[in-house]
PDB file of all heavy atoms in Angstrom:
ATOM      1  N   PHE G  12       6.571   8.312 -28.782  1.00  0.00           N
ATOM      2  CA  PHE G  12       7.884   8.493 -29.409  1.00  0.00           C
ATOM      3  C   PHE G  12       9.134   8.607 -28.401  1.00  0.00           C
ATOM      4  O   PHE G  12      10.081   7.964 -28.627  1.00  0.00           O
ATOM      5  CB  PHE G  12       7.736   9.857 -30.105  1.00  0.00           C
ATOM      6  CG  PHE G  12       9.076  10.321 -30.887  1.00  0.00           C
ATOM      7  CD1 PHE G  12       9.453   9.571 -31.899  1.00  0.00           C
ATOM      8  CD2 PHE G  12       9.818  11.489 -30.327  1.00  0.00           C
ATOM      9  CE1 PHE G  12      10.657   9.925 -32.588  1.00  0.00           C
ATOM     10  CE2 PHE G  12      10.910  11.788 -30.992  1.00  0.00           C
ATOM     11  CZ  PHE G  12      11.366  10.971 -32.054  1.00  0.00           C
ATOM     12  N   SER G  13       8.723   9.129 -27.258  1.00  0.00           N
ATOM     13  CA  SER G  13       9.874   9.209 -26.241  1.00  0.00           C
ATOM     14  C   SER G  13      10.271   7.883 -25.704  1.00  0.00           C
ATOM     15  O   SER G  13      11.360   7.511 -25.497  1.00  0.00           O
ATOM     16  CB  SER G  13       9.402  10.045 -25.035  1.00  0.00           C
ATOM     17  OG  SER G  13       8.336   9.495 -24.402  1.00  0.00           O
ATOM     18  N   TYR G  14       9.105   6.941 -25.674  1.00  0.00           N
ATOM     19  CA  TYR G  14       9.418   5.427 -25.266  1.00  0.00           C
ATOM     20  C   TYR G  14      10.197   4.638 -26.347  1.00  0.00           C
ATOM     21  O   TYR G  14      10.792   3.771 -25.978  1.00  0.00           O
ATOM     22  CB  TYR G  14       8.235   4.844 -24.660  1.00  0.00           C
ATOM     23  CG  TYR G  14       7.995   5.108 -23.168  1.00  0.00           C
ATOM     24  CD1 TYR G  14       7.108   6.146 -22.812  1.00  0.00           C
ATOM     25  CD2 TYR G  14       8.709   4.466 -22.179  1.00  0.00           C
ATOM     26  CE1 TYR G  14       7.059   6.395 -21.408  1.00  0.00           C
ATOM     27  CE2 TYR G  14       8.607   4.729 -20.876  1.00  0.00           C
ATOM     28  CZ  TYR G  14       7.705   5.781 -20.520  1.00  0.00           C
ATOM     29  OH  TYR G  14       7.675   6.076 -19.167  1.00  0.00           O
ATOM     30  N   VAL G  15       9.869   4.974 -27.566  1.00  0.00           N
ATOM     31  CA  VAL G  15      10.693   4.382 -28.644  1.00  0.00           C
ATOM     32  C   VAL G  15      12.227   4.667 -28.495  1.00  0.00           C
ATOM     33  O   VAL G  15      13.019   3.807 -28.548  1.00  0.00           O
ATOM     34  CB  VAL G  15      10.092   4.812 -30.001  1.00  0.00           C
ATOM     35  CG1 VAL G  15      11.150   4.370 -31.130  1.00  0.00           C
ATOM     36  CG2 VAL G  15       8.745   4.255 -30.251  1.00  0.00           C
ATOM     37  N   LEU G  16      12.435   6.035 -28.211  1.00  0.00           N
ATOM     38  CA  LEU G  16      13.862   6.413 -28.024  1.00  0.00           C
ATOM     39  C   LEU G  16      14.463   5.747 -26.764  1.00  0.00           C
ATOM     40  O   LEU G  16      15.582   5.386 -26.719  1.00  0.00           O
ATOM     41  CB  LEU G  16      13.908   7.827 -27.935  1.00  0.00           C
ATOM     42  CG  LEU G  16      13.491   8.612 -29.237  1.00  0.00           C
ATOM     43  CD1 LEU G  16      13.662  10.184 -29.009  1.00  0.00           C
ATOM     44  CD2 LEU G  16      14.309   8.241 -30.379  1.00  0.00           C
ATOM     45  N   ILE G  17      13.643   5.695 -25.703  1.00  0.00           N
ATOM     46  CA  ILE G  17      14.029   5.058 -24.469  1.00  0.00           C
ATOM     47  C   ILE G  17      14.337   3.557 -24.648  1.00  0.00           C
ATOM     48  O   ILE G  17      15.401   3.144 -24.224  1.00  0.00           O
ATOM     49  CB  ILE G  17      13.030   5.268 -23.375  1.00  0.00           C
ATOM     50  CG1 ILE G  17      13.027   6.742 -22.933  1.00  0.00           C
ATOM     51  CG2 ILE G  17      13.330   4.374 -22.220  1.00  0.00           C
ATOM     52  CD1 ILE G  17      11.819   7.134 -21.940  1.00  0.00           C
ATOM     53  N   LEU G  18      13.499   2.985 -25.361  1.00  0.00           N
ATOM     54  CA  LEU G  18      13.610   1.375 -25.561  1.00  0.00           C
ATOM     55  C   LEU G  18      14.852   1.198 -26.461  1.00  0.00           C
ATOM     56  O   LEU G  18      15.607   0.241 -26.186  1.00  0.00           O
ATOM     57  CB  LEU G  18      12.395   0.920 -26.277  1.00  0.00           C
ATOM     58  CG  LEU G  18      12.255  -0.636 -26.373  1.00  0.00           C
ATOM     59  CD1 LEU G  18      12.392  -1.360 -25.172  1.00  0.00           C
ATOM     60  CD2 LEU G  18      11.105  -1.028 -27.181  1.00  0.00           C
ATOM     61  N   ARG G  19      15.126   2.002 -27.460  1.00  0.00           N
ATOM     62  CA  ARG G  19      16.318   1.995 -28.295  1.00  0.00           C
ATOM     63  C   ARG G  19      17.590   2.093 -27.462  1.00  0.00           C
ATOM     64  O   ARG G  19      18.417   1.333 -27.544  1.00  0.00           O
ATOM     65  CB  ARG G  19      16.327   2.984 -29.350  1.00  0.00           C
ATOM     66  CG  ARG G  19      17.435   2.785 -30.423  1.00  0.00           C
ATOM     67  CD  ARG G  19      17.356   3.785 -31.510  1.00  0.00           C
ATOM     68  NE  ARG G  19      17.695   5.105 -30.989  1.00  0.00           N
ATOM     69  CZ  ARG G  19      17.679   6.203 -31.676  1.00  0.00           C
ATOM     70  NH1 ARG G  19      17.462   6.123 -33.072  1.00  0.00           N
ATOM     71  NH2 ARG G  19      17.977   7.365 -31.138  1.00  0.00           N
ATOM     72  N   THR G  20      17.597   3.077 -26.647  1.00  0.00           N
ATOM     73  CA  THR G  20      18.706   3.257 -25.624  1.00  0.00           C
ATOM     74  C   THR G  20      18.934   2.193 -24.698  1.00  0.00           C
ATOM     75  O   THR G  20      20.034   1.691 -24.479  1.00  0.00           O
ATOM     76  CB  THR G  20      18.440   4.610 -24.856  1.00  0.00           C
ATOM     77  OG1 THR G  20      18.309   5.750 -25.714  1.00  0.00           O
ATOM     78  CG2 THR G  20      19.691   4.832 -23.929  1.00  0.00           C
ATOM     79  N   VAL G  21      17.799   1.542 -24.092  1.00  0.00           N
ATOM     80  CA  VAL G  21      17.849   0.516 -23.224  1.00  0.00           C
ATOM     81  C   VAL G  21      18.409  -0.736 -23.841  1.00  0.00           C
ATOM     82  O   VAL G  21      19.378  -1.504 -23.391  1.00  0.00           O
ATOM     83  CB  VAL G  21      16.540   0.199 -22.501  1.00  0.00           C
ATOM     84  CG1 VAL G  21      16.514  -1.119 -21.825  1.00  0.00           C
ATOM     85  CG2 VAL G  21      16.159   1.370 -21.605  1.00  0.00           C
ATOM     86  N   LEU G  22      18.018  -1.026 -25.035  1.00  0.00           N
ATOM     87  CA  LEU G  22      18.512  -2.275 -25.878  1.00  0.00           C
ATOM     88  C   LEU G  22      19.872  -2.087 -26.187  1.00  0.00           C
ATOM     89  O   LEU G  22      20.538  -3.180 -26.427  1.00  0.00           O
ATOM     90  CB  LEU G  22      17.553  -2.497 -27.111  1.00  0.00           C
ATOM     91  CG  LEU G  22      16.120  -2.854 -26.777  1.00  0.00           C
ATOM     92  CD1 LEU G  22      15.350  -3.055 -28.019  1.00  0.00           C
ATOM     93  CD2 LEU G  22      16.091  -4.148 -25.992  1.00  0.00           C
ATOM     94  N   SER G  23      20.412  -0.900 -26.271  1.00  0.00           N
ATOM     95  CA  SER G  23      21.797  -0.660 -26.730  1.00  0.00           C
ATOM     96  C   SER G  23      22.810  -0.938 -25.509  1.00  0.00           C
ATOM     97  O   SER G  23      24.006  -1.066 -25.636  1.00  0.00           O
ATOM     98  CB  SER G  23      22.077   0.735 -27.241  1.00  0.00           C
ATOM     99  OG  SER G  23      21.883   1.667 -26.144  1.00  0.00           O
ATOM    100  N   LEU G  24      22.192  -1.092 -24.223  1.00  0.00           N
ATOM    101  CA  LEU G  24      22.986  -1.328 -23.082  1.00  0.00           C
ATOM    102  C   LEU G  24      23.389  -2.702 -23.082  1.00  0.00           C
ATOM    103  O   LEU G  24      22.578  -3.763 -23.408  1.00  0.00           O
ATOM    104  CB  LEU G  24      22.195  -1.063 -21.810  1.00  0.00           C
ATOM    105  CG  LEU G  24      21.839   0.401 -21.551  1.00  0.00           C
ATOM    106  CD1 LEU G  24      20.911   0.542 -20.424  1.00  0.00           C
ATOM    107  CD2 LEU G  24      23.043   1.318 -21.483  1.00  0.00           C
ATOM    108  N   VAL G  25      24.687  -2.995 -22.729  1.00  0.00           N
ATOM    109  CA  VAL G  25      25.206  -4.478 -22.803  1.00  0.00           C
ATOM    110  C   VAL G  25      24.840  -5.225 -21.628  1.00  0.00           C
ATOM    111  O   VAL G  25      24.403  -6.367 -21.590  1.00  0.00           O
ATOM    112  CB  VAL G  25      26.714  -4.383 -23.078  1.00  0.00           C
ATOM    113  CG1 VAL G  25      27.332  -5.831 -23.026  1.00  0.00           C
ATOM    114  CG2 VAL G  25      27.249  -3.632 -24.226  1.00  0.00           C
ATOM    115  N   ALA G  26      24.960  -4.614 -20.406  1.00  0.00           N
ATOM    116  CA  ALA G  26      24.701  -5.336 -19.113  1.00  0.00           C
ATOM    117  C   ALA G  26      23.239  -5.475 -18.976  1.00  0.00           C
ATOM    118  O   ALA G  26      22.415  -4.477 -19.043  1.00  0.00           O
ATOM    119  CB  ALA G  26      25.340  -4.581 -17.945  1.00  0.00           C
ATOM    120  N   PRO G  27      22.691  -6.724 -18.678  1.00  0.00           N
ATOM    121  CA  PRO G  27      21.265  -6.937 -18.496  1.00  0.00           C
ATOM    122  C   PRO G  27      20.718  -6.182 -17.214  1.00  0.00           C
ATOM    123  O   PRO G  27      19.645  -5.813 -17.152  1.00  0.00           O
ATOM    124  CB  PRO G  27      21.161  -8.432 -18.297  1.00  0.00           C
ATOM    125  CG  PRO G  27      22.480  -8.999 -18.987  1.00  0.00           C
ATOM    126  CD  PRO G  27      23.382  -8.007 -18.667  1.00  0.00           C
ATOM    127  N   LYS G  28      21.710  -6.025 -16.182  1.00  0.00           N
ATOM    128  CA  LYS G  28      21.169  -5.446 -14.933  1.00  0.00           C
ATOM    129  C   LYS G  28      20.893  -3.920 -15.287  1.00  0.00           C
ATOM    130  O   LYS G  28      20.049  -3.410 -14.585  1.00  0.00           O
ATOM    131  CB  LYS G  28      22.248  -5.645 -13.848  1.00  0.00           C
ATOM    132  CG  LYS G  28      22.441  -6.916 -13.294  1.00  0.00           C
ATOM    133  CD  LYS G  28      23.367  -6.979 -12.177  1.00  0.00           C
ATOM    134  CE  LYS G  28      23.331  -8.468 -11.465  1.00  0.00           C
ATOM    135  NZ  LYS G  28      24.227  -8.501 -10.346  1.00  0.00           N
ATOM    136  N   LYS G  29      21.852  -3.322 -16.114  1.00  0.00           N
ATOM    137  CA  LYS G  29      21.560  -1.910 -16.481  1.00  0.00           C
ATOM    138  C   LYS G  29      20.363  -1.777 -17.159  1.00  0.00           C
ATOM    139  O   LYS G  29      19.538  -0.697 -17.108  1.00  0.00           O
ATOM    140  CB  LYS G  29      22.689  -1.395 -17.179  1.00  0.00           C
ATOM    141  CG  LYS G  29      23.990  -1.158 -16.456  1.00  0.00           C
ATOM    142  CD  LYS G  29      25.086  -0.467 -17.170  1.00  0.00           C
ATOM    143  CE  LYS G  29      26.331  -0.292 -16.400  1.00  0.00           C
ATOM    144  NZ  LYS G  29      27.260   0.376 -17.256  1.00  0.00           N
ATOM    145  N   GLN G  30      20.004  -2.794 -18.055  1.00  0.00           N
ATOM    146  CA  GLN G  30      18.763  -2.678 -18.806  1.00  0.00           C
ATOM    147  C   GLN G  30      17.526  -2.746 -17.961  1.00  0.00           C
ATOM    148  O   GLN G  30      16.523  -2.083 -18.015  1.00  0.00           O
ATOM    149  CB  GLN G  30      18.697  -3.752 -19.839  1.00  0.00           C
ATOM    150  CG  GLN G  30      19.563  -3.689 -21.058  1.00  0.00           C
ATOM    151  CD  GLN G  30      19.521  -4.878 -21.997  1.00  0.00           C
ATOM    152  OE1 GLN G  30      18.856  -5.923 -21.721  1.00  0.00           O
ATOM    153  NE2 GLN G  30      19.975  -4.737 -23.212  1.00  0.00           N
ATOM    154  N   GLN G  31      17.549  -3.644 -16.993  1.00  0.00           N
ATOM    155  CA  GLN G  31      16.470  -3.866 -15.998  1.00  0.00           C
ATOM    156  C   GLN G  31      16.271  -2.635 -15.180  1.00  0.00           C
ATOM    157  O   GLN G  31      15.122  -2.271 -14.891  1.00  0.00           O
ATOM    158  CB  GLN G  31      16.773  -5.144 -15.198  1.00  0.00           C
ATOM    159  CG  GLN G  31      15.564  -5.470 -14.292  1.00  0.00           C
ATOM    160  CD  GLN G  31      15.905  -6.741 -13.436  1.00  0.00           C
ATOM    161  OE1 GLN G  31      16.857  -7.322 -13.648  1.00  0.00           O
ATOM    162  NE2 GLN G  31      14.938  -7.159 -12.576  1.00  0.00           N
ATOM    163  N   LYS G  32      17.334  -2.084 -14.739  1.00  0.00           N
ATOM    164  CA  LYS G  32      17.148  -0.860 -13.807  1.00  0.00           C
ATOM    165  C   LYS G  32      16.691   0.284 -14.664  1.00  0.00           C
ATOM    166  O   LYS G  32      15.823   1.055 -14.100  1.00  0.00           O
ATOM    167  CB  LYS G  32      18.711  -0.548 -13.449  1.00  0.00           C
ATOM    168  CG  LYS G  32      18.657   0.630 -12.393  1.00  0.00           C
ATOM    169  CD  LYS G  32      20.132   1.003 -11.889  1.00  0.00           C
ATOM    170  CE  LYS G  32      20.042   2.118 -10.923  1.00  0.00           C
ATOM    171  NZ  LYS G  32      21.357   2.425 -10.432  1.00  0.00           N
ATOM    172  N   ALA G  33      17.102   0.439 -15.945  1.00  0.00           N
ATOM    173  CA  ALA G  33      16.508   1.537 -16.684  1.00  0.00           C
ATOM    174  C   ALA G  33      15.122   1.326 -17.051  1.00  0.00           C
ATOM    175  O   ALA G  33      14.273   2.371 -16.960  1.00  0.00           O
ATOM    176  CB  ALA G  33      17.338   1.572 -18.130  1.00  0.00           C
ATOM    177  N   LEU G  34      14.671   0.175 -17.297  1.00  0.00           N
ATOM    178  CA  LEU G  34      13.217  -0.106 -17.632  1.00  0.00           C
ATOM    179  C   LEU G  34      12.295   0.041 -16.371  1.00  0.00           C
ATOM    180  O   LEU G  34      11.289   0.399 -16.280  1.00  0.00           O
ATOM    181  CB  LEU G  34      13.041  -1.425 -18.122  1.00  0.00           C
ATOM    182  CG  LEU G  34      13.416  -1.578 -19.679  1.00  0.00           C
ATOM    183  CD1 LEU G  34      13.412  -3.100 -20.157  1.00  0.00           C
ATOM    184  CD2 LEU G  34      12.695  -0.729 -20.572  1.00  0.00           C
ATOM    185  N   SER G  35      13.005  -0.383 -15.162  1.00  0.00           N
ATOM    186  CA  SER G  35      12.246  -0.300 -13.983  1.00  0.00           C
ATOM    187  C   SER G  35      11.829   1.117 -13.505  1.00  0.00           C
ATOM    188  O   SER G  35      10.859   1.281 -12.813  1.00  0.00           O
ATOM    189  CB  SER G  35      12.943  -0.987 -12.748  1.00  0.00           C
ATOM    190  OG  SER G  35      14.198  -0.297 -12.521  1.00  0.00           O
ATOM    191  N   THR G  36      12.626   2.019 -13.920  1.00  0.00           N
ATOM    192  CA  THR G  36      12.314   3.369 -13.653  1.00  0.00           C
ATOM    193  C   THR G  36      11.162   3.993 -14.558  1.00  0.00           C
ATOM    194  O   THR G  36      10.518   4.979 -14.094  1.00  0.00           O
ATOM    195  CB  THR G  36      13.558   4.306 -13.893  1.00  0.00           C
ATOM    196  OG1 THR G  36      13.818   4.303 -15.264  1.00  0.00           O
ATOM    197  CG2 THR G  36      14.788   4.007 -13.023  1.00  0.00           C
ATOM    198  N   CYS G  37      10.765   3.186 -15.550  1.00  0.00           N
ATOM    199  CA  CYS G  37       9.648   3.639 -16.502  1.00  0.00           C
ATOM    200  C   CYS G  37       8.478   2.914 -16.258  1.00  0.00           C
ATOM    201  O   CYS G  37       7.380   3.277 -16.787  1.00  0.00           O
ATOM    202  CB  CYS G  37      10.125   3.489 -17.896  1.00  0.00           C
ATOM    203  SG  CYS G  37      11.591   4.458 -18.417  1.00  0.00           S
ATOM    204  N   VAL G  38       8.428   1.897 -15.441  1.00  0.00           N
ATOM    205  CA  VAL G  38       7.258   0.979 -15.075  1.00  0.00           C
ATOM    206  C   VAL G  38       6.079   1.860 -14.621  1.00  0.00           C
ATOM    207  O   VAL G  38       5.014   1.663 -15.081  1.00  0.00           O
ATOM    208  CB  VAL G  38       7.606  -0.138 -14.226  1.00  0.00           C
ATOM    209  CG1 VAL G  38       6.341  -0.814 -13.797  1.00  0.00           C
ATOM    210  CG2 VAL G  38       8.510  -1.147 -14.896  1.00  0.00           C
ATOM    211  N   CYS G  39       6.355   2.637 -13.600  1.00  0.00           N
ATOM    212  CA  CYS G  39       5.228   3.476 -12.935  1.00  0.00           C
ATOM    213  C   CYS G  39       4.590   4.378 -13.991  1.00  0.00           C
ATOM    214  O   CYS G  39       3.384   4.481 -14.074  1.00  0.00           O
ATOM    215  CB  CYS G  39       5.812   4.290 -11.887  1.00  0.00           C
ATOM    216  SG  CYS G  39       6.421   3.262 -10.452  1.00  0.00           S
ATOM    217  N   HIS G  40       5.451   5.098 -14.753  1.00  0.00           N
ATOM    218  CA  HIS G  40       4.964   6.026 -15.736  1.00  0.00           C
ATOM    219  C   HIS G  40       4.127   5.379 -16.803  1.00  0.00           C
ATOM    220  O   HIS G  40       3.061   5.698 -17.293  1.00  0.00           O
ATOM    221  CB  HIS G  40       6.073   6.786 -16.381  1.00  0.00           C
ATOM    222  CG  HIS G  40       5.531   7.883 -17.265  1.00  0.00           C
ATOM    223  ND1 HIS G  40       5.723   7.792 -18.682  1.00  0.00           N
ATOM    224  CD2 HIS G  40       4.908   9.072 -17.005  1.00  0.00           C
ATOM    225  CE1 HIS G  40       5.162   8.895 -19.207  1.00  0.00           C
ATOM    226  NE2 HIS G  40       4.647   9.625 -18.257  1.00  0.00           N
ATOM    227  N   ILE G  41       4.631   4.110 -17.270  1.00  0.00           N
ATOM    228  CA  ILE G  41       3.913   3.356 -18.348  1.00  0.00           C
ATOM    229  C   ILE G  41       2.486   2.889 -17.761  1.00  0.00           C
ATOM    230  O   ILE G  41       1.436   3.014 -18.516  1.00  0.00           O
ATOM    231  CB  ILE G  41       4.700   2.092 -18.728  1.00  0.00           C
ATOM    232  CG1 ILE G  41       5.904   2.637 -19.514  1.00  0.00           C
ATOM    233  CG2 ILE G  41       3.912   1.151 -19.687  1.00  0.00           C
ATOM    234  CD1 ILE G  41       6.918   1.452 -19.786  1.00  0.00           C
ATOM    235  N   CYS G  42       2.440   2.395 -16.511  1.00  0.00           N
ATOM    236  CA  CYS G  42       1.154   2.191 -15.832  1.00  0.00           C
ATOM    237  C   CYS G  42       0.211   3.368 -15.879  1.00  0.00           C
ATOM    238  O   CYS G  42      -0.930   3.151 -16.084  1.00  0.00           O
ATOM    239  CB  CYS G  42       1.386   1.589 -14.481  1.00  0.00           C
ATOM    240  SG  CYS G  42       2.220  -0.030 -14.440  1.00  0.00           S
ATOM    241  N   ALA G  43       0.798   4.524 -15.440  1.00  0.00           N
ATOM    242  CA  ALA G  43      -0.032   5.684 -15.276  1.00  0.00           C
ATOM    243  C   ALA G  43      -0.562   6.115 -16.614  1.00  0.00           C
ATOM    244  O   ALA G  43      -1.789   6.420 -16.754  1.00  0.00           O
ATOM    245  CB  ALA G  43       0.844   6.825 -14.687  1.00  0.00           C
TER     246      ALA G  43
END
């Protein structure tokens, strides 16, 4: 549920670089 909200927030960002930076902070936790 938290990642659904995170994904919704990330997709609402206009700049692709900001989207990539936001998602990169979650990669480690998703792998764990």
Side-chain angles (χ1 to χ4, degrees):
F12 179 68
S13 66
Y14 272 101
V15 168
L16 298 178
I17 289 171
L18 188 60
R19 188 181 67 176
T20 303
V21 170
L22 293 177
S23 66
L24 298 174
V25 179
K28 287 186 177 180
K29 287 185 177 180
Q30 289 183 348
Q31 186 178 1
K32 184 179 179 181
L34 286 175
S35 65
T36 62
C37 301
V38 169
C39 295
H40 185 250
I41 292 172
C42 292

